[in-house]
Structures are given as C-alpha cells and as structure tokens.
Amino acid sequence: MKNLLKLSSLLAVLVSIFMACSSDNDSTDDDDDEGTATLHAAFEAFNTDATTIYLDGSNVVIETTGLPDHETVYWGEGNALYREEPGVALTPSIMTSNNNAVTITVDATPNLTGNTVSTQVNTIGIAVSGSSLFNDQEGNGALDAAAASLDWTGAHIGPGVYHYHLEPKAFSDDDDNLVGILLDGVFLYGRKCNSTGTYPTDLDASGGHTSTTQYTDGQEEYHYHIINEIYSTTGSYLAFAGPYQGY
Ligand SMILES: [Zn+2]
Ligand SMILES: [Zn+2]
C-alpha cells in the first residue's frame, strides 16, 4: 500500500513535469509577433523639425512640412537658410510662396513580389531633410530642359513642392548616407553601400540590391542606391528613375 502511494505520487510528479514542459513550448509559440510592424531604425535619420513619422497598422505614415533643414537659394532672400546661387536659373517660386507639405503612407515591410511599377511625375518619396524626392522627369518631358533651375543640392521648386531630382549633396555626397524613403517603402541610400564601403556592383534595373546597411543591425535588406552615372550636363547624379520594386 505504501509502495503504491509512492508510485502514484511519482507518476503525479512526472505528469506535472511533462505538462510544465509542454506549456513552456506553448508559451513560446504564443510569442508569435508576425504581422506586428515596428518602425524601422532608419527613420531616426529624418529631420524631426519637418517630419512626423508613425505606424498605422502595417503601414508607416510620414507627414512632412516639406521644408528642408539646409541652405538653398529657394528659401528666398532674408531667410536664415538663404544661399546665394548666381548660377541657378530660378523658377518663379520660393519656399514660402508654395505649400510644400506632403503626407505619404508606405508599407512598413515592402512588398517585394518581383512586379515593378513605374514612377510618376510627382513626389516619389520623402528625403531625410523632409523635402520631396522626384524622378528623372519634369512636368511634360525630360529633366534636361529644367536642369538649369536646380540648386546646389539638385533641387528646385516647380509649380508644386520643393523637390530633389539629383544626388542631394546637402546630405549625401558620394557616400553611403541614407537619402530617404520611396513610396514603395524601400529606402534610398547614397552612391556607396555601407556593406562594402564602396560602389555596389550588383544593382538591378532600379538601382537596388539586398545587403546590410548601417540601419539594419547586421540583417540583409533590399534597398536602392543613387544612380552612379553622371546625368546629362548637370555634373551630378539622378536620385532615382524607377521602376519601384516594392509595390
Ligand atoms: Zn522638378
Ligand atoms: Zn547597398
């Protein structure tokens, strides 16, 4: 009788150990965070005076005043950030004459299906300065005709917002700096890649590839680079000509 009692209590201990183990496994499975988006570390590089950046479900919303944190002739005389640029064929607008505000919503995780989507003549992304990025087109044609109006950092004001077409030298000049984020949720970097310290040689048709960056904590991630070919007579480089890879 005594032995039987011992046996049954031993069984009870064994059963409780087994249950403890299996419940541990269950709780590990319950820690499944798939689908819970987090704000990418690269957003820390954005101009906080101009931008408000937050998660909305699986999307990231980027609200910006569009006003950059660097000098340009397009601030207009009298502004603290006004820079004299006699060589620039000015458009009729200055920063304060236009509404430069833009809000974009992008996937927190780009949808890299292999499908590509062309860029439009409008904001194609938001730069770390807070201003818009545009592609290689201008209004009703190629950018060449409007290139004379681009300031020292590859930007101008068309009828709409202040925007960059070229390598924005105010914050990326032949380096691996973060340039901005495009509408497909993919980040755009300078002409060099942080993964190698030099110009990448494995870029696809969009100027993109998969490697680590200074914001990915050792993980490989798809991103674009500024096109490392002198564009037209500008002596500079196109920021992005498309197509998007992340829609
Ligand atoms: Zn333009
Ligand atoms: Zn790269």
Side-chain angles (χ1 to χ4, degrees):
M1 188 64 194
K2 217 176 166 186
N3 281 345
L4 194 65
L5 206 65
K6 270 187 180 168
L7 187 65
S8 65
S9 54
L10 182 66
L11 268 172
V13 167
L14 282 174
V15 164
S16 63
I17 287 171
F18 175 75
M19 285 181 69
C21 288
S22 59
S23 80
D24 272 351
N25 289 340
D26 283 351
S27 71
T28 307
D29 288 344
D30 288 346
D31 286 342
D32 186 355
D33 282 333
E34 266 182 347
T36 307
T38 52
L39 206 53
H40 197 291
F43 287 114
E44 288 164 18
F46 283 66
N47 171 12
T48 52
D49 287 337
T51 61
T52 305
I53 301 172
Y54 56 92
L55 280 166
D56 180 13
S58 60
N59 295 322
V60 178
V61 180
I62 300 147
E63 299 173 359
T64 181
T65 63
L67 301 176
D69 50 0
H70 61 69
E71 294 183 352
T72 165
V73 64
Y74 286 107
W75 274 109
E77 277 184 68
N79 188 285
L81 288 173
Y82 172 74
R83 175 191 280 223
E84 240 181 284
E85 297 185 73
V88 175
L90 294 176
T91 67
S93 304
I94 60 168
M95 210 67 81
T96 50
S97 65
N98 287 25
N99 178 8
N100 299 280
V102 177
T103 297
I104 69 169
T105 302
V106 305
D107 291 338
T109 304
N111 190 20
L112 298 164
T113 59
N115 295 327
T116 59
V117 175
S118 298
T119 56
Q120 304 295 316
V121 182
N122 205 331
T123 293
I124 63 161
I126 302 297
V128 294
S129 67
S131 299
S132 284
L133 290 158
F134 271 42
N135 65 7
D136 59 339
Q137 302 291 307
E138 181 68 24
N140 38 25
L143 178 61
D144 302 41
S149 66
L150 296 172
D151 63 15
W152 71 283
T153 189
H156 62 179
I157 305 188
V161 300
Y162 178 76
H163 59 269
Y164 310 96
H165 287 281
L166 307 178
E167 178 179 66
K169 304 226 182 271
F171 45 93
S172 181
D173 186 0
D174 193 22
D175 53 36
D176 66 3
N177 288 354
L178 181 68
V179 171
I181 184 156
L182 302 193
L183 294 182
D184 61 351
V186 177
F187 288 100
L188 172 66
Y189 290 85
R191 285 184 280 136
K192 290 177 179 169
C193 189
N194 182 262
S195 63
T196 57
T198 188
Y199 310 110
T201 54
D202 58 345
L203 300 178
D204 62 21
S206 302
H209 72 157
T210 301
S211 76
T212 60
T213 79
Q214 60 271 50
Y215 297 105
T216 61
D217 197 23
Q219 302 292 306
E220 296 204 323
E221 177 181 276
Y222 184 79
H223 57 275
Y224 303 121
H225 286 279
I226 286 179
I227 302 164
N228 193 25
E229 285 168 30
I230 291 279
Y231 172 67
S232 175
T233 55
T234 61
S236 189
Y237 305 83
L238 281 173
F240 186 75
Y244 297 112
Q245 299 278 339
Y247 271 125

